[in-house]
Amino acid sequence: DAEITQSPRHKITETGRQVTLACHQTWNHNNMFWYRQDLGHGLRLIHYSYGVQDTNKGEVSDGYSVSRSNTEDLPLTLESAASSQTSVYFCASSDGGGGENIQYFGAGTRLSVL
Amino acid sequence: DQQVKQNSPSLSVQEGRISILNCDYTNSMFDYFLWYKKYPAEGPTFLISISSIKDKNEDGRFTVFLNKSAKHLSLHIVPSQPGDSAVYFCAASAFGGGADGLTFGKGTHLIIQP
């Protein structure tokens, strides 16, 4: 079965460290997204990609970067982790065709920055 | 400025009765709306969606109603079951089948009482 997987599921790091969260999907979807979920904010868009070599900034992109070297993966990098980046991170993908924008989510990565 | 609002942080409903979850939006460019269900420590899972050209969409026990003039949508669950206890997110997308990210509300925690 096609799926979207995130790793690690839990991560503890220190302020100032570089951290990379992995996202891998086997649906062959062109579109991939990263969101963060915080109490009182719902899910907010960080970055997204329409395809290989394409990346775009979302609502809360400061301090984050992504790269898309193949269809299956969109890793999220925190260049210099800050305590404000403690959050739960979700990756999603969508086919985007047929007038629909149904996004399918991974199980999430809980990141703590100490 | 919140573009998608879920004004009820929680809702308690008796098993077998109807659950009604509400969502309001402010952005007139939104033309596709989705409901996601989320259990603790899992990613959001797609439940049902509706395009702005429709005013109702039904899938089994779940029905979504859209009132464009009022910029309001609601999710009806009939009958409510214990497994429906979860956080429900309303989400919206502009430009229909495009690849843009979703804008989420803060969620409503639905509790089904036995």
Side-chain angles (χ1 to χ4, degrees):
Chain A
D1 277 350
E3 59 180 2
I4 181 165
T5 55
Q6 293 184 235
S7 61
R9 290 297 313 276
H10 301 272
K11 174 80 176 175
I12 300 174
T13 191
E14 297 176 344
T15 55
R17 298 239 183 200
Q18 183 181 80
V19 176
T20 297
L21 309 182
C23 176
H24 179 82
Q25 54 98 2
T26 58
W27 276 302
N28 202 34
H29 285 164
N30 285 324
N31 309 326
M32 295 184 73
F33 309 84
W34 274 103
Y35 296 85
R36 60 179 286 176
Q37 185 192 9
D38 304 288
L39 270 176
H41 284 280
L43 280 79
R44 291 181 292 173
L45 182 66
I46 304 171
H47 280 286
Y48 58 103
S49 168
Y50 294 153
V52 175
Q53 302 301 332
D54 177 78
T55 61
N56 306 279
K57 293 182 178 180
E59 177 190 357
V60 290
S61 61
D62 286 350
Y64 303 95
S65 64
V66 293
S67 62
R68 188 92 180 268
S69 59
N70 58 52
T71 301
E72 296 80 19
D73 299 288
L74 187 70
L76 177 71
T77 297
L78 287 68
E79 302 294 343
S80 177
S83 57
S84 61
Q85 295 176 307
T86 292
S87 187
V88 181
Y89 292 85
F90 291 101
C91 179
S93 71
S94 74
D95 180 45
E100 298 182 344
N101 190 8
I102 299 173
Q103 296 182 14
Y104 298 93
F105 285 80
T109 294
R110 182 174 293 275
L111 177 68
S112 297
V113 183
L114 306 179
Chain B
D1 197 22
Q2 228 187 326
Q3 299 186 68
V4 176
K5 299 177 185 177
Q6 295 178 255
N7 292 320
S8 299
S10 67
L11 175 67
S12 184
V13 174
Q14 204 125 36
E15 182 179 355
R17 307 294 287 267
I18 183 171
S19 295
I20 300 176
L21 293 88
N22 294 303
C23 178
D24 298 292
Y25 63 97
T26 58
N27 188 341
S28 300
M29 299 303 294
F30 289 147
D31 61 0
Y32 191 69
F33 304 90
L34 309 90
W35 285 93
Y36 283 85
K37 176 180 180 179
K38 186 182 180 305
Y39 293 119
E42 294 184 12
T45 55
F46 170 71
L47 201 54
I48 192 168
S49 63
I50 188 166
S51 164
S52 59
I53 62 173
K54 296 183 177 179
D55 54 18
K56 177 182 174 182
N57 189 27
E58 203 169 347
D59 184 1
R61 297 186 298 114
F62 303 92
T63 303
V64 56
F65 296 92
L66 175 62
N67 182 332
K68 278 186 67 179
S69 60
K71 293 190 176 70
H72 176 82
L73 61 155
S74 60
L75 174 68
H76 293 211
I77 306 173
V78 185
S80 300
Q81 298 175 354
D84 296 331
S85 294
V87 176
Y88 289 79
F89 289 99
C90 173
S93 171
F95 314 117
D100 59 317
L102 298 173
T103 301
F104 283 83
K106 293 181 180 181
T108 296
H109 185 194
L110 176 64
I111 302 160
I112 305 302
Q113 305 277 8

